[in-house]
Amino acid sequence: MNPSSPVADPSGGPAGAPALQTPGLWRRMACWLYEGMLLFAVVFVAGWLFSTLGQMRDAMDSRRHLLQAFLFVVFGVYFVWFWAKGQTLAMKTWNIRLVDREGHAVTQGRALVRYLLSWVWFLPPLAAIAPFKLSGAESALLISGWVVVWALLARFHPRQQFWHDAWAGTQLVTSRPMSRR
């Protein structure tokens, strides 16, 4: 399937074309978790590169905020690149594809908007716990609780999509892995 070709929408797409089907919540969350595991390699390489070139001696270096900003940009490049092509590796594994509302491939601009909006998964709990001196376990529990609540809020969307997808004009659909060109 061509990444720019539309996937028919059940509300009036071309006759005989497959309908857009939202993957189940459990499958999307399994994909999300797998994506997080794959990002360990991205963080490792980017962190090593930044630390080596910047000659950082320890994790509490005064430049750690620069490292965090660098990782934010690296994640952005990673996700925008792959989403504009339709799928990340984790999405290919779980047969999920990112398209716009009409079923077309997303542009890099729309992928960037989705990336920025996707931080709603983490920024609210991080902002809430920032003023407190919480342990790692307490922080992980609060962040995990927010992730569960945010994921369950997708049940209230008419097509069961995550809200950051609705705001970005994108949607996750069931799709076979796209072949290489």
Side-chain angles (χ1 to χ4, degrees):
M1 178 178 281
N2 184 344
S4 63
S5 65
V7 180
D9 189 344
S11 63
L20 291 175
Q21 180 182 7
T22 302
L25 181 61
W26 287 108
R27 195 160 113 221
R28 287 182 287 163
M29 292 310 294
C31 179
W32 186 84
L33 188 63
Y34 183 44
E35 193 78 66
M37 290 190 293
L38 294 175
L39 285 176
F40 275 116
V42 175
V43 168
F44 178 80
V45 171
W48 173 80
L49 184 66
F50 184 90
S51 299
T52 301
L53 294 176
Q55 298 183 355
M56 292 179 71
R57 301 286 183 231
D58 60 62
M60 297 310 291
D61 189 295
S62 62
R63 295 168 290 175
R64 72 181 179 276
H65 298 298
L66 287 174
L67 173 61
Q68 291 170 344
F70 178 70
L71 290 175
F72 178 80
V73 171
V74 168
F75 286 162
V77 169
Y78 170 85
F79 283 115
V80 168
W81 173 266
F82 283 108
W83 287 339
K85 296 194 173 297
Q87 295 173 307
T88 63
L89 178 60
M91 293 167 81
K92 286 182 182 185
T93 302
W94 289 93
N95 294 330
I96 295 173
R97 182 176 170 198
L98 181 70
V99 295
D100 66 11
R101 287 188 182 122
E102 289 78 40
H104 295 91
V106 297
T107 63
Q108 286 185 341
R110 190 172 301 270
L112 177 61
V113 169
R114 183 181 195 262
Y115 171 69
L116 295 173
L117 289 172
S118 71
W119 279 93
V120 77
W121 284 91
F122 297 107
L123 286 183
L126 289 175
I129 64 176
F132 306 105
K133 300 276 187 203
L134 299 179
S135 70
E138 292 168 327
S139 297
L141 181 65
L142 287 173
I143 292 169
S144 299
W146 172 255
V147 166
V148 168
V149 166
W150 186 251
L152 290 174
L153 286 174
R155 298 276 189 199
F156 296 106
H157 186 273
R159 299 214 44 233
Q160 307 286 309
Q161 294 288 334
F162 294 129
W163 286 100
H164 69 280
D165 279 315
W167 299 332
T170 59
Q171 56 185 331
L172 295 173
V173 296
T174 300
S175 173
R176 287 278 181 221
M178 297 166 57
S179 62
R180 292 184 179 176
R181 290 183 170 215

